[in-house]
mmCIF file of all heavy atoms in Angstrom:
data_model
loop_
_atom_site.group_PDB
_atom_site.id
_atom_site.type_symbol
_atom_site.label_atom_id
_atom_site.label_comp_id
_atom_site.label_asym_id
_atom_site.label_seq_id
_atom_site.Cartn_x
_atom_site.Cartn_y
_atom_site.Cartn_z
ATOM 1 N N ALA A 144 16.108 14.093 9.501
ATOM 2 C CA ALA A 144 17.206 14.305 10.438
ATOM 3 C C ALA A 144 17.593 12.970 11.057
ATOM 4 O O ALA A 144 16.761 12.070 11.217
ATOM 5 C CB ALA A 144 16.796 15.297 11.521
ATOM 6 N N LEU A 145 18.853 12.817 11.390
ATOM 7 C CA LEU A 145 19.338 11.575 11.989
ATOM 8 C C LEU A 145 18.716 11.384 13.370
ATOM 9 O O LEU A 145 18.583 12.340 14.138
ATOM 10 C CB LEU A 145 20.860 11.610 12.098
ATOM 11 C CG LEU A 145 21.543 10.317 12.552
ATOM 12 C CD1 LEU A 145 21.378 9.223 11.515
ATOM 13 C CD2 LEU A 145 23.032 10.568 12.834
ATOM 14 N N SER A 146 18.339 10.135 13.684
ATOM 15 C CA SER A 146 17.727 9.853 14.985
ATOM 16 C C SER A 146 17.945 8.397 15.361
ATOM 17 O O SER A 146 18.215 7.550 14.497
ATOM 18 C CB SER A 146 16.216 10.155 14.954
ATOM 19 O OG SER A 146 15.556 9.285 14.048
ATOM 20 N N ASP A 147 17.815 8.110 16.640
ATOM 21 C CA ASP A 147 17.893 6.747 17.168
ATOM 22 C C ASP A 147 16.462 6.258 17.346
ATOM 23 O O ASP A 147 15.819 6.517 18.358
ATOM 24 C CB ASP A 147 18.649 6.734 18.494
ATOM 25 C CG ASP A 147 18.763 5.341 19.088
ATOM 26 O OD1 ASP A 147 18.283 4.380 18.448
ATOM 27 O OD2 ASP A 147 19.313 5.208 20.202
ATOM 28 N N ALA A 148 15.954 5.547 16.342
ATOM 29 C CA ALA A 148 14.564 5.091 16.348
ATOM 30 C C ALA A 148 14.434 3.620 16.710
ATOM 31 O O ALA A 148 13.413 2.997 16.410
ATOM 32 C CB ALA A 148 13.936 5.336 14.979
ATOM 33 N N ASP A 149 15.445 3.065 17.377
ATOM 34 C CA ASP A 149 15.417 1.649 17.775
ATOM 35 C C ASP A 149 14.608 1.515 19.062
ATOM 36 O O ASP A 149 15.163 1.384 20.157
ATOM 37 C CB ASP A 149 16.843 1.138 17.964
ATOM 38 C CG ASP A 149 16.881 -0.360 18.248
ATOM 39 O OD1 ASP A 149 15.820 -1.012 18.139
ATOM 40 O OD2 ASP A 149 17.965 -0.874 18.576
ATOM 41 N N THR A 150 13.279 1.538 18.917
ATOM 42 C CA THR A 150 12.383 1.461 20.082
ATOM 43 C C THR A 150 11.264 0.474 19.792
ATOM 44 O O THR A 150 10.156 0.862 19.396
ATOM 45 C CB THR A 150 11.787 2.837 20.410
ATOM 46 O OG1 THR A 150 11.217 3.404 19.204
ATOM 47 C CG2 THR A 150 12.851 3.779 20.937
ATOM 48 N N PRO A 151 11.514 -0.820 19.969
ATOM 49 C CA PRO A 151 10.471 -1.819 19.727
ATOM 50 C C PRO A 151 9.346 -1.698 20.755
ATOM 51 O O PRO A 151 9.493 -1.003 21.776
ATOM 52 C CB PRO A 151 11.219 -3.150 19.861
ATOM 53 C CG PRO A 151 12.382 -2.842 20.746
ATOM 54 C CD PRO A 151 12.782 -1.435 20.424
ATOM 55 N N PRO A 152 8.216 -2.375 20.534
ATOM 56 C CA PRO A 152 7.113 -2.303 21.502
ATOM 57 C C PRO A 152 7.499 -2.764 22.903
ATOM 58 O O PRO A 152 6.913 -2.318 23.886
ATOM 59 C CB PRO A 152 6.054 -3.232 20.893
ATOM 60 C CG PRO A 152 6.358 -3.249 19.437
ATOM 61 C CD PRO A 152 7.841 -3.124 19.328
ATOM 62 N N THR A 153 8.492 -3.644 22.992
ATOM 63 C CA THR A 153 8.926 -4.154 24.294
ATOM 64 C C THR A 153 10.110 -3.370 24.866
ATOM 65 O O THR A 153 10.745 -3.832 25.821
ATOM 66 C CB THR A 153 9.313 -5.634 24.165
ATOM 67 O OG1 THR A 153 10.342 -5.774 23.172
ATOM 68 C CG2 THR A 153 8.116 -6.471 23.749
ATOM 69 N N ALA A 154 10.404 -2.193 24.314
ATOM 70 C CA ALA A 154 11.557 -1.412 24.771
ATOM 71 C C ALA A 154 11.376 -0.974 26.221
ATOM 72 O O ALA A 154 10.283 -0.583 26.647
ATOM 73 C CB ALA A 154 11.753 -0.200 23.883
ATOM 74 N N SER A 155 12.454 -1.031 26.978
ATOM 75 C CA SER A 155 12.411 -0.615 28.374
ATOM 76 C C SER A 155 12.445 0.906 28.484
ATOM 77 O O SER A 155 12.733 1.613 27.514
ATOM 78 C CB SER A 155 13.599 -1.211 29.132
ATOM 79 O OG SER A 155 14.822 -0.742 28.592
ATOM 80 N N LYS A 156 12.162 1.403 29.668
ATOM 81 C CA LYS A 156 12.217 2.854 29.896
ATOM 82 C C LYS A 156 13.629 3.386 29.677
ATOM 83 O O LYS A 156 13.811 4.500 29.190
ATOM 84 C CB LYS A 156 11.740 3.169 31.304
ATOM 85 C CG LYS A 156 10.261 2.881 31.529
ATOM 86 C CD LYS A 156 9.850 3.273 32.938
ATOM 87 C CE LYS A 156 8.361 3.024 33.159
ATOM 88 N NZ LYS A 156 7.934 3.383 34.537
ATOM 89 N N LYS A 157 14.629 2.586 30.040
ATOM 90 C CA LYS A 157 16.009 2.996 29.847
ATOM 91 C C LYS A 157 16.332 3.146 28.358
ATOM 92 O O LYS A 157 16.988 4.112 27.955
ATOM 93 C CB LYS A 157 16.935 1.969 30.499
ATOM 94 C CG LYS A 157 18.399 2.349 30.466
ATOM 95 C CD LYS A 157 19.252 1.313 31.185
ATOM 96 C CE LYS A 157 20.727 1.699 31.167
ATOM 97 N NZ LYS A 157 21.558 0.683 31.867
ATOM 98 N N ARG A 158 15.879 2.192 27.530
ATOM 99 C CA ARG A 158 16.113 2.268 26.083
ATOM 100 C C ARG A 158 15.410 3.467 25.472
ATOM 101 O O ARG A 158 15.943 4.160 24.616
ATOM 102 C CB ARG A 158 15.597 0.967 25.418
ATOM 103 C CG ARG A 158 15.649 1.029 23.889
ATOM 104 C CD ARG A 158 17.012 0.628 23.362
ATOM 105 N NE ARG A 158 17.988 1.672 23.319
ATOM 106 C CZ ARG A 158 18.191 2.515 22.301
ATOM 107 N NH1 ARG A 158 17.406 2.488 21.249
ATOM 108 N NH2 ARG A 158 19.152 3.392 22.348
ATOM 109 N N LEU A 159 14.168 3.744 25.905
ATOM 110 C CA LEU A 159 13.438 4.899 25.412
ATOM 111 C C LEU A 159 14.138 6.196 25.794
ATOM 112 O O LEU A 159 14.231 7.132 24.999
ATOM 113 C CB LEU A 159 12.006 4.885 25.950
ATOM 114 C CG LEU A 159 11.063 3.824 25.367
ATOM 115 C CD1 LEU A 159 9.755 3.800 26.142
ATOM 116 C CD2 LEU A 159 10.809 4.087 23.896
ATOM 117 N N SER A 160 14.636 6.250 27.020
ATOM 118 C CA SER A 160 15.324 7.450 27.478
ATOM 119 C C SER A 160 16.604 7.694 26.674
ATOM 120 O O SER A 160 16.894 8.828 26.262
ATOM 121 C CB SER A 160 15.649 7.333 28.961
ATOM 122 O OG SER A 160 16.354 8.457 29.420
ATOM 123 N N LYS A 161 17.370 6.633 26.404
ATOM 124 C CA LYS A 161 18.588 6.767 25.598
ATOM 125 C C LYS A 161 18.243 7.200 24.172
ATOM 126 O O LYS A 161 18.949 8.019 23.575
ATOM 127 C CB LYS A 161 19.351 5.442 25.569
ATOM 128 C CG LYS A 161 20.055 5.096 26.874
ATOM 129 C CD LYS A 161 20.849 3.814 26.723
ATOM 130 C CE LYS A 161 21.624 3.493 28.006
ATOM 131 N NZ LYS A 161 22.401 2.230 27.883
ATOM 132 N N SER A 162 17.160 6.650 23.637
ATOM 133 C CA SER A 162 16.749 7.003 22.289
ATOM 134 C C SER A 162 16.425 8.492 22.185
ATOM 135 O O SER A 162 16.886 9.169 21.250
ATOM 136 C CB SER A 162 15.527 6.171 21.879
ATOM 137 O OG SER A 162 14.952 6.657 20.691
ATOM 138 N N LEU A 163 15.668 9.020 23.125
ATOM 139 C CA LEU A 163 15.271 10.422 23.068
ATOM 140 C C LEU A 163 16.445 11.354 23.330
ATOM 141 O O LEU A 163 16.584 12.398 22.670
ATOM 142 C CB LEU A 163 14.146 10.682 24.071
ATOM 143 C CG LEU A 163 12.844 9.897 23.842
ATOM 144 C CD1 LEU A 163 11.806 10.268 24.884
ATOM 145 C CD2 LEU A 163 12.301 10.139 22.445
ATOM 146 N N ASN A 164 17.300 10.991 24.263
ATOM 147 C CA ASN A 164 18.436 11.862 24.590
ATOM 148 C C ASN A 164 19.443 11.946 23.443
ATOM 149 O O ASN A 164 19.897 13.039 23.073
ATOM 150 C CB ASN A 164 19.123 11.363 25.860
ATOM 151 C CG ASN A 164 18.254 11.534 27.095
ATOM 152 O OD1 ASN A 164 17.378 12.404 27.129
ATOM 153 N ND2 ASN A 164 18.478 10.710 28.100
ATOM 154 N N SER A 165 19.777 10.785 22.874
ATOM 155 C CA SER A 165 20.734 10.793 21.770
ATOM 156 C C SER A 165 20.122 11.429 20.521
ATOM 157 O O SER A 165 20.806 12.156 19.781
ATOM 158 C CB SER A 165 21.209 9.372 21.465
ATOM 159 O OG SER A 165 20.117 8.527 21.149
#
Side-chain angles (χ1 to χ4, degrees):
L145 187 66
S146 64
D147 180 2
D149 185 8
T150 51
T153 57
S155 62
K156 293 182 178 179
K157 185 178 181 180
R158 173 85 275 271
L159 288 172
S160 178
K161 287 183 177 179
S162 169
L163 298 181
N164 292 335
S165 58

